[in-house]
Amino acid sequence: MASFSRDLILEIAQNLDAKSLFKLCETSRENNMLLKTYQRSLSQLRLAEFPVPPPGDVLSSELYLRRPIKHGSFQMLLELENRRSRVKEILTASPHFNIGSPPGLGELTNPQQERLCAFLYRAFAQCDYIADIAANVPCGTPEAQWYGHQFMKWWGGRELEQGFREKDPYTNYPARPAQKEYIRNLSKQDCIMIYYLINMMGSCFVKSREDWILSDPVFDERITVFEECVLRHGSWYAWAHFMGGSEWVSMTIDIASVGMTELHRFEYGNEDAMCSLLSVLVERFNELHESPDNRTKTVQQAAKRLITADIDDSDDRDQDEENQE
């Protein structure tokens, strides 16, 4: 049987997706050892394909399970590729979202739709980055068993002990300061598109739950919590709600109950309650836009300028154009 040189195998590996890399590892013991030896460098080369490289380890996107995946591994590449596929599915196949006429942007041409998709994909990637911060906090992440479905029952109720909530990977309070700091340092363009994405997801949530509007006395709060969950958990949560099956949707409802508990604790003035990440995003948006009276309209107008104008992506160019206006 003909054998290939190590250099040729590595060159082939550089052009393979994660699933194909795993298959190549299975072709022989020698190939498996070779690829595992160069796993980190091969993974680093591929990171350039993604708009927002992860901060370190990443969280898995499984049903009722989020576990840390080691940075620089083929498994990390597979997770990032799965996220990209899921975002594409949300933007192109969700019955609740029309990329040709997104909320507040009017009818878009094909080039404008492509540009909007690119911006929204980056915004989703940044929400995923915010989620992954929870896998890299200085005090370490919870053990994988804390991520299982059987523990969801511990997360309901306003009087849940703080100790348990710190072990909850869906909130992970020790990560909150780092997540807030990331949001506070967003560029103007990134802040606009993340905020637009969150508003857009809120609109899609309303469409997906139209039968709840009249009968649910806390529906407005549910919208807020859903938007917070997308910002905090990224594409995993959004895909689960809009594109996943019944089990995935059930998971999002359970996680939303955690968010609702946090909201209530904050509203009731509990000393250990932390402000939401969404409130930090709003503060950053207000800071960059001089506290607009109608934030939704302002963010939609700003997003439309970004996707319809031929502008440079830097903040400096964006600021120059505003000054000319």
Side-chain angles (χ1 to χ4, degrees):
M1 182 176 180
S3 60
F4 299 96
S5 69
R6 290 164 52 94
D7 289 344
L8 180 57
I9 294 295
L10 291 174
E11 186 175 347
I12 292 172
Q14 291 178 21
N15 298 287
L16 297 179
D17 60 23
K19 290 183 179 179
S20 299
L21 282 170
F22 284 120
K23 291 185 179 297
L24 184 58
C25 288
E26 296 172 355
T27 56
S28 71
R29 183 171 179 270
E30 291 75 14
N31 286 345
N32 182 60
M33 293 179 61
L34 174 64
L35 295 177
K36 290 300 176 61
T37 299
Y38 289 92
Q39 179 175 213
R40 186 171 184 84
S41 59
L42 288 169
S43 298
Q44 288 294 120
L45 287 173
R46 295 289 306 282
L47 284 180
E49 300 176 9
F50 302 95
V52 184
D57 293 349
V58 301
L59 291 173
S60 66
S61 300
E62 301 164 85
L63 180 62
Y64 275 114
L65 181 65
R66 298 215 90 176
R67 55 188 171 83
I69 299 174
K70 195 69 177 175
H71 182 80
S73 66
F74 293 155
Q75 191 66 41
M76 179 201 72
L77 283 182
L78 181 61
E79 170 62 26
L80 296 180
E81 291 173 1
N82 286 340
R83 292 177 183 181
R84 179 167 57 190
S85 297
R86 286 175 171 178
V87 170
K88 182 178 179 180
E89 192 174 357
I90 293 170
L91 297 180
T92 61
S94 171
H96 309 297
F97 175 67
N98 178 8
I99 192 65
S101 182
L105 301 187
E107 297 294 329
L108 301 181
T109 65
N110 288 336
Q112 290 169 353
Q113 292 176 38
E114 291 176 3
R115 186 163 190 178
L116 175 60
C117 281
F119 279 133
L120 292 177
Y121 175 57
R122 176 176 173 82
F124 260 125
Q126 288 183 304
C127 293
D128 287 330
Y129 185 104
I130 291 169
D132 290 333
I133 289 175
N136 296 276
V137 291
C139 62
T141 56
E143 296 295 330
Q145 64 261 28
W146 288 103
Y147 294 45
H149 179 200
Q150 64 267 31
F151 294 96
M152 295 295 286
K153 62 181 180 293
W154 288 357
W155 303 343
R158 190 169 66 86
E159 300 306 323
L160 192 62
E161 292 184 19
Q162 177 75 8
F164 285 120
R165 298 192 63 75
E166 288 185 349
K167 296 177 180 178
D168 165 11
Y170 300 104
T171 57
N172 205 341
Y173 280 160
R176 195 67 61 86
Q179 291 170 328
K180 290 179 178 179
E181 187 66 18
Y182 180 80
I183 294 172
R184 290 191 183 105
N185 287 284
L186 287 171
S187 69
K188 187 171 186 178
Q189 177 174 295
D190 285 335
C191 183
I192 289 169
M193 291 314 303
I194 294 175
Y195 198 12
Y196 179 76
L197 170 67
I198 298 305
N199 281 340
M200 183 188 81
M201 289 290 99
S203 297
C204 293
F205 174 79
V206 172
K207 291 181 180 178
S208 71
R209 292 289 185 266
E210 287 182 337
D211 54 332
W212 291 21
I213 295 176
L214 296 179
S215 60
D216 188 347
V218 293
F219 190 72
D220 288 342
E221 287 88 342
R222 293 195 193 281
I223 299 172
T224 299
V225 169
F226 181 82
E227 293 175 340
E228 169 74 10
C229 286
V230 174
L231 178 61
R232 187 186 301 175
H233 306 307
S235 58
W236 171 68
Y237 188 86
W239 181 89
H241 177 83
F242 293 117
M243 310 304 298
S246 58
E247 286 187 291
W248 286 93
V249 173
S250 177
M251 179 191 76
T252 65
I253 294 174
D254 287 340
I255 296 173
S257 69
V258 176
M260 190 68 78
T261 298
E262 284 192 22
L263 178 62
H264 289 166
R265 290 178 71 87
F266 188 78
E267 290 177 340
Y268 296 152
N270 290 78
E271 292 183 0
D272 65 343
M274 294 185 178
C275 65
S276 67
L277 294 182
L278 184 56
S279 67
V280 180
L281 179 63
V282 170
E283 288 175 4
R284 178 59 175 161
F285 184 82
N286 288 345
E287 172 190 326
L288 295 171
H289 293 82
E290 299 180 353
S291 300
D293 294 331
N294 188 330
R295 284 190 299 269
T296 298
K297 184 177 181 180
T298 301
V299 74
Q300 289 173 349
Q301 291 173 340
K304 188 161 187 175
R305 284 197 299 270
L306 286 174
I307 66 172
T308 58
D310 185 16
I311 62 173
D312 184 85
D313 285 343
S314 70
D315 281 348
D316 292 338
R317 175 70 176 273
D318 186 75
Q319 187 65 49
D320 288 341
E321 290 196 4
E322 286 198 6
N323 290 337
Q324 291 175 7
E325 293 176 1

